[in-house]
Amino acid sequence: MIQFLLAALGGAWALYEKRRVDPWLRLLLQAHKRLTDAGVALPATSAITPHQMLLALQSTAATSASPWLAAWQSWLLALESLRYAPPDTVDTAPTLRQLQSALRKLP
């Protein structure tokens, strides 16, 4: 019984910790994982900006001009503008939910 309670408490704590992570950062980390799984050479650190990811992606795919490169470029720049753009330009930027949906559709 005690093991069950400890397991339930551990699960609740993990859920609490997961919700504390910034949703923008969580999306950035998902993109990082997708790109590294695709063979893009990215640093293993989470302290990477979307622009740095874009530069790594462009250097990896420099030999081939493929449509997926343009899609990823557009998505990474939109993610960066959502976080770092001046407040007056954020109204025209896609929302976090729209970027989450677009990430699922990226090649």
Side-chain angles (χ1 to χ4, degrees), residues 52-68:
Q52 291 169 325
M53 290 174 124
L54 178 59
L55 294 175
L57 178 63
Q58 288 172 338
S59 68
T60 300
T63 58
S64 64
S66 59
W68 65 269

Side-chain angles (χ1 to χ4, degrees), residues 4 6 11 32 63 68-69 72 88:
F4 175 75
L6 289 175
H32 186 280
T63 58
W68 65 269
L69 177 61
W72 272 99
D88 59 335

Side-chain angles (χ1 to χ4, degrees), residues 40-81:
V40 177
L42 293 172
T45 179
S46 64
I48 186 170
T49 66
H51 188 73
Q52 291 169 325
M53 290 174 124
L54 178 59
L55 294 175
L57 178 63
Q58 288 172 338
S59 68
T60 300
T63 58
S64 64
S66 59
W68 65 269
L69 177 61
W72 272 99
Q73 178 177 358
S74 174
W75 188 86
L76 286 167
L77 291 175
L79 182 67
E80 186 174 53
S81 71

